[in-house]
Amino acid sequence: MYNGLSLDQAPPISVVLRFFLTVPVFGIALCALLFFAPREVLTPLHPYSLSAIHLMFLGVMSMSMIGALFQMQSVLGGKPIPAPVGNALIIHTFLTVGTLSLAMAFLWSQPILFTLASILLGAAIVYTANLVLPLLFGEVTHDTLRGMRLALIALAFTAVLGIVMASSYASASFGFYHEAVRTSHYSLGLIGWAAALIIAVAFQVIEMFYVTAPYSRWCKRNAFRVLAAALVFKIAFAFTGWPYGWIADIVIAGWLGGFAVTTLKRLSERKRRVSDVSIRFWTAGMALLLIASAAHTASLFIAAATLETLALFSYALFVLAVILGMMSKIVPFLVWFHLNSAGFMDAPIMSNVIPASRSKLLFTLFALTALALLAGCVSGEALAAAGFFGSLMFSVLLYNLLKALSLYRHTLSHGQRFTFE
């Protein structure tokens, strides 16, 4: 089942859980903004809207993905990240304080906070790329590692452009290329970082966890080349002002839509028919990715702000669905794996770490949040409802993570270990 993985290289459980436990905190802050200021969040480029976007894509998405990266690189790449505990502490601290600073900078329009955020976030992301990227070019290589390389390179450029933009906000001085920098910043972040990493993860976990037919070799070989080429052209169009940038958008939307359809087909034909809430999250995520791709494509030809908002909300929900689905698999696995590796006879089985009833509750709250958020494209009241349901969802997520950590620590303190006497 775990063919190709170097599980003995896994970092301590605290490395990953440090990032995961922070995710619901930022999620609750994001939902509070949706609940108390829905109209402002719905207004494009409003400071509250920009604050909400960065709480989602830095505080929720990047926080969880960088945490997962510590685990994935070590077990997939075969080369452990050096000093994982200390490095995770540095990156997590910079990322947490930097994200808070940026969210407050937009809310309060404080130049010093923009400066602080650009320093801390730039340091966290460039430090992560510098730490992990060289390890991905070793002797061991496969499609997932290639995707991780693209994702980290895109993340590093996203950070550099983010520093440029934060400097513009701090000085309230926007240069001639501000719009091109903004387009490149969010394109690299949403597609190069988020989509590439999720596709890379899917290539590994969909086949392994759910026993599906493999993705085609052609798809695996070309997925990241197509995304990288389309991003390069999109950025070139943005800076030169050439009128055919929409071609790159269509290529990206079509490619992501094809990935979603392929993944849905693989899941529907899976050999392992056991009921699993994480499959619901993956299925919902792929459906939302299809909506996002279709809405973005339509917005290229129909000038309607609602379509662009629908595309952004659907895309954010797609990423969130995959993150929640992955956490529901990774966290129980890590608790079981680390206790079992330490020789505890009474290490809990994975299904007891996060019971199915709480996983189903989490998915139900996600579904309510998603429906309300999509309706929120045209209704401030629905957006406030999304904030309410979302805060409940992230609260349940936080409870699940804390209970898993509590169970792990209780077993460490009171469990029985194998002896060889």
Side-chain angles (χ1 to χ4, degrees):
M1 180 178 179
Y2 303 117
N3 186 33
L5 305 184
S6 303
L7 296 177
D8 56 329
Q9 306 280 15
I13 193 171
S14 63
V15 168
V16 182
L17 288 186
R18 175 189 305 279
F19 291 91
F20 285 2
L21 281 167
T22 316
V23 168
V25 178
F26 278 113
I28 291 171
L30 166 63
C31 291
L33 205 53
L34 289 175
F35 184 80
F36 289 109
R39 302 285 179 188
E40 291 82 355
V41 172
L42 200 53
T43 304
L45 301 183
H46 190 284
Y48 281 38
S49 174
L50 295 174
S51 180
I53 287 172
H54 286 90
L55 282 172
M56 172 62 203
F57 289 103
L58 282 173
V60 174
M61 187 189 78
S62 293
M63 185 68 72
S64 56
M65 295 174 95
I66 289 176
L69 206 56
F70 269 85
Q71 181 73 22
M72 290 166 55
Q73 195 287 325
S74 297
V75 299
L76 292 176
K79 286 185 178 179
I81 293 177
V85 175
N87 282 321
L89 175 63
I90 293 171
I91 293 169
H92 177 259
T93 302
F94 282 13
L95 188 59
T96 300
V97 180
T99 303
L100 280 174
S101 301
L102 188 60
M104 290 189 293
F106 282 118
L107 293 178
W108 298 338
S109 299
Q110 289 295 322
I112 185 64
L113 290 177
F114 280 114
T115 303
L116 180 63
S118 65
I119 293 172
L120 293 177
L121 290 173
I125 292 172
V126 173
Y127 189 91
T128 301
N130 185 58
L131 181 68
V132 179
L133 202 52
L135 302 176
L136 300 176
F137 287 91
E139 297 177 357
V140 178
T141 187
H142 48 71
D143 302 301
T144 297
L145 292 181
R146 294 189 187 95
M148 289 165 62
R149 291 174 196 162
L150 172 61
L152 274 173
I153 292 170
L155 180 63
F157 281 110
T158 303
V160 171
L161 295 174
I163 292 172
V164 173
M165 294 194 68
S167 301
S168 299
Y169 280 104
S171 61
S173 174
F174 303 100
F176 181 76
Y177 289 107
H178 175 74
E179 189 58 31
V181 171
R182 191 176 76 86
T183 299
S184 304
H185 174 66
Y186 73 70
S187 298
L188 286 166
L190 298 182
I191 307 301
W193 164 233
L197 189 57
I198 287 176
I199 292 173
V201 170
F203 284 165
Q204 182 71 34
V205 304
I206 293 294
E207 299 171 11
M208 184 179 73
F209 282 153
Y210 308 116
V211 195
T212 70
Y215 292 86
S216 73
R217 288 299 309 159
W218 185 90
C219 175
K220 288 183 175 179
R221 190 168 57 249
N222 293 292
F224 307 114
R225 295 174 182 170
V226 171
L227 285 180
L231 277 173
V232 169
F233 279 110
K234 182 175 173 62
I235 291 169
F237 285 129
F239 276 93
T240 59
W242 293 339
Y244 299 107
W246 54 270
I247 295 176
D249 281 315
I250 288 181
V251 170
I252 292 170
W255 194 254
L256 294 182
F259 164 72
V261 171
T262 304
T263 302
L264 287 172
K265 187 171 186 296
R266 293 290 181 277
L267 289 174
S268 68
E269 297 173 350
R270 69 188 186 279
K271 298 174 184 176
R272 186 172 182 268
R273 308 304 298 184
V274 178
S275 177
D276 190 327
V277 173
S278 68
I279 293 176
R280 300 184 191 179
F281 278 114
W282 273 99
T283 302
M286 293 304 111
L288 287 159
L289 180 57
L290 283 173
I291 295 174
S293 299
H296 182 64
T297 302
S299 72
L300 297 174
F301 303 99
I302 304 172
T306 303
L307 281 175
E308 296 177 5
T309 304
L310 177 62
L312 179 62
F313 284 1
S314 302
Y315 195 86
L317 288 166
F318 144 66
V319 175
L320 181 59
V322 173
I323 287 171
L324 294 177
M326 285 301 299
M327 280 189 179
S328 69
K329 296 291 284 187
I330 288 177
V331 173
F333 172 74
L334 290 179
V335 170
W336 168 83
F337 168 71
H338 282 283
L339 290 173
N340 195 58
S341 299
F344 285 94
M345 293 186 290
D346 45 2
I349 60 174
M350 289 172 58
S351 59
N352 287 344
V353 176
I354 300 179
S357 58
R358 276 197 264 126
S359 294
K360 291 177 180 175
L361 174 61
L362 185 68
F363 180 79
T364 300
L365 290 170
F366 169 78
L368 291 171
T369 303
L371 289 173
L373 194 62
L374 294 180
C377 294
V378 293
S379 165
E381 289 75 14
L383 207 57
F388 173 74
F389 289 125
S391 64
L392 293 179
M393 175 188 68
F394 281 114
S395 297
V396 171
L397 175 63
L398 181 60
Y399 181 79
N400 285 347
L401 295 174
L402 289 174
K403 288 293 288 184
L405 180 60
S406 173
L407 181 59
Y408 173 78
R409 288 178 171 172
H410 178 81
T411 307
L412 274 184
S413 302
H414 302 92
Q416 292 185 331
R417 307 179 72 161
F418 288 107
T419 60
F420 298 97
E421 295 177 353

